[in-house]
Amino acid sequence: MSYRIEPLVLPASLEAAGAADFLEYSELSDALVLETWGNLDRAAPREARLEAWRDDDYRQMRLFFVRLDGRMAARSWIRLPLKENLQNAMVRVDVLNEFTGRGIGRALLRHAEDVAAGSGRTTLQSFTEHPPGFDPDGPGILRPGTGTGGVPAESRAVRFARAAGYALEQVTRFSALDMPPSNGILDALEQEAESIAGDRYELISWTDRCPDEYVDQMAVLMSRMSTDSPAGALHYDPEAWDAKRVRHLEDEWKATGQESLVAVARHTASGELAAYSVLQYAAAKPWIAEQDDTLVAAEHRGNRLGMLVKILNLRRLAAEHPSVERILTFNAAENSHMLAINVALGFRPAGYDGEWQRRR
């Protein structure tokens, strides 16, 4: 059976005359998150989606949907990097539970892969989402090439990905921290970390926009996220960051309604930034915050800087946004060092994502 796959045209604003399809698409996206997770913690506000899905100098987005019985029943999207990873495309297909088993997902995936191929992309990547309730070390688990972590082999999403020729290359752990954290725990962890870091580092923080004096150094640290973070067998090129790209990302954060708390550790002897961490809050989702990137430069590791910048951000968030009930974060299952920091802070497993890849 064939289906009519329609492109989503982004409106100028939520109030524009042509916004109806976008608003319905956003409602579909929320419904899909609810079906998987039972809450909207992982759902972006519609205002954020509208801005995040617009094309820019660094990537293009292509979004599509299928209507059945007069309403949107399924969606797909394709993200095309424009600066690095020019052979890559991220593809994603979702179908509401009541419409599964009709071949809609297969039709959308074939279409998404054709769109990617039309842009010269030969490496296709995707991800599947898996709520807790299974033993990642137990039977019936599919493991990635890294050998760390796993996803339920018989889940519908896993069977769909494997049937389409995708290989599981990495597992990401999704974790949550209930707020506010124990001051006693934070104090003990901070004191231990400070005893190791000593007075060789200075902690600095800001909101949303990096001071001009540090922006070039932030670009260096952000570029290292593409080379220093574990990626399993997923293909990623090193990213080239400069001050313009940092400012672009900061502008995008603001445009999507996010307030970004940034903490850095500065090496006092050299003056260079040695570590950074970003924690984000959106007024449209006042019960939740998201732990974004945390990185310690290789030459400064072993000094507990990751712990110190995270604690600084946690204290700021608790003081400035007491409405936040929990913080979400994602870590590669094999990133044992960063996971150990998060576990010590009180993060608990909340689910797992499978990271998939197919090369043409």
Side-chain angles (χ1 to χ4, degrees):
M1 183 175 179
S2 62
Y3 296 96
R4 182 184 178 191
I5 298 174
E6 302 180 59
L8 178 68
V9 178
L10 297 180
S13 70
L14 296 178
E15 296 75 30
D21 278 352
F22 171 81
L23 294 173
E24 187 178 359
Y25 194 99
S26 191
E27 290 175 359
L28 169 63
S29 300
D30 285 345
L32 290 163
V33 173
L34 282 170
E35 283 190 345
T36 301
W37 297 101
N39 59 51
L40 291 175
D41 284 3
R42 287 181 53 151
R46 60 186 186 179
E47 298 86 355
R49 287 177 176 135
L50 181 57
E51 295 303 322
W53 291 345
R54 296 193 190 282
D55 292 347
D56 58 32
D57 292 341
Y58 299 96
R59 55 106 176 93
Q60 293 178 338
M61 289 288 290
R62 297 292 178 261
L63 304 101
F64 300 89
F65 60 88
V66 169
R67 269 200 178 92
L68 288 178
D69 302 333
R71 64 190 179 99
M72 290 187 189
R75 68 167 190 179
S76 65
W77 53 260
I78 306 100
R79 185 172 68 235
L80 304 169
L82 297 180
K83 292 297 184 184
E84 304 90 10
N85 300 299
L86 298 181
Q87 70 275 49
N88 287 11
M90 176 66 74
V91 299
R92 172 78 182 196
V93 170
D94 296 283
V95 183
L96 287 171
N97 287 338
E98 65 184 283
F99 296 104
T100 59
R102 306 186 190 187
I104 304 171
R106 291 191 299 274
L108 278 169
L109 182 59
R110 285 194 297 268
H111 176 264
E113 291 174 339
D114 287 344
V115 171
S119 295
R121 309 305 167 114
T122 56
T123 299
L124 304 175
Q125 296 171 342
S126 191
F127 63 96
T128 55
E129 302 174 27
H130 306 278
F134 68 94
D135 181 359
D137 297 315
I141 298 299
L142 177 67
R143 303 200 179 283
T146 63
T148 307
V151 294
E154 291 305 311
S155 77
R156 189 179 73 201
V158 169
R159 288 186 284 109
F160 180 83
R162 297 180 77 181
Y166 288 74
L168 181 66
E169 302 290 12
Q170 189 178 47
V171 171
T172 298
R173 177 171 138 172
F174 167 43
S175 303
L177 172 66
D178 293 327
M179 291 289 287
S182 163
N183 282 328
I185 291 176
L186 292 187
D187 289 345
L189 292 171
E190 189 173 49
Q191 289 169 12
E192 179 188 19
E194 287 176 341
S195 71
I196 296 171
D199 59 1
R200 292 171 295 139
Y201 297 91
E202 172 193 13
L203 295 183
I204 304 168
S205 65
W206 61 79
T207 301
D208 293 334
R209 191 169 179 85
C210 175
D212 289 342
E213 63 188 293
Y214 298 128
V215 69
D216 290 328
Q217 292 192 58
M218 280 299 292
V220 173
L221 288 180
M222 287 180 163
S223 70
R224 291 187 175 185
M225 283 298 300
S226 65
T227 58
D228 293 7
S229 299
L234 296 167
H235 177 271
Y236 289 111
D237 294 331
E239 294 180 357
W241 282 73
D242 54 16
K244 178 184 176 182
R245 193 164 184 173
V246 174
R247 295 303 187 209
H248 169 83
L249 180 61
E250 291 173 337
D251 290 344
E252 184 176 86
W253 286 341
K254 288 288 288 183
T256 56
Q258 296 182 93
E259 178 183 305
S260 300
L261 308 182
V262 183
V264 302
R266 176 179 171 272
H267 186 234
T268 53
S270 65
E272 69 180 13
L273 298 187
Y276 81 102
S277 187
V278 181
L279 192 56
Q280 295 180 318
Y281 166 85
K285 293 176 63 179
W287 71 93
I288 210 82
E290 296 189 18
Q291 172 65 60
D292 197 45
D293 291 347
T294 299
L295 179 96
V296 179
E299 59 271 27
H300 295 282
R301 290 177 183 168
N303 294 298
R304 297 293 199 276
L305 301 182
M307 180 68 78
L308 287 172
V309 291
K310 280 177 176 279
I311 289 175
L312 176 55
N313 269 345
L314 287 176
R315 292 194 190 281
R316 286 191 62 198
L317 182 73
E320 297 174 24
H321 298 293
S323 65
V324 172
E325 299 173 7
R326 55 192 167 275
I327 299 173
L328 310 182
T329 194
F330 296 83
N331 298 101
E334 68 267 30
N335 193 352
S336 57
H337 178 69
M338 196 58 67
L339 275 172
I341 294 176
N342 287 340
V343 169
L345 289 168
F347 280 90
R348 53 181 169 75
Y352 298 85
D353 284 9
E355 312 290 343
W356 301 79
Q357 184 168 265
R358 175 187 169 193
R359 297 195 185 218
R360 292 179 178 269

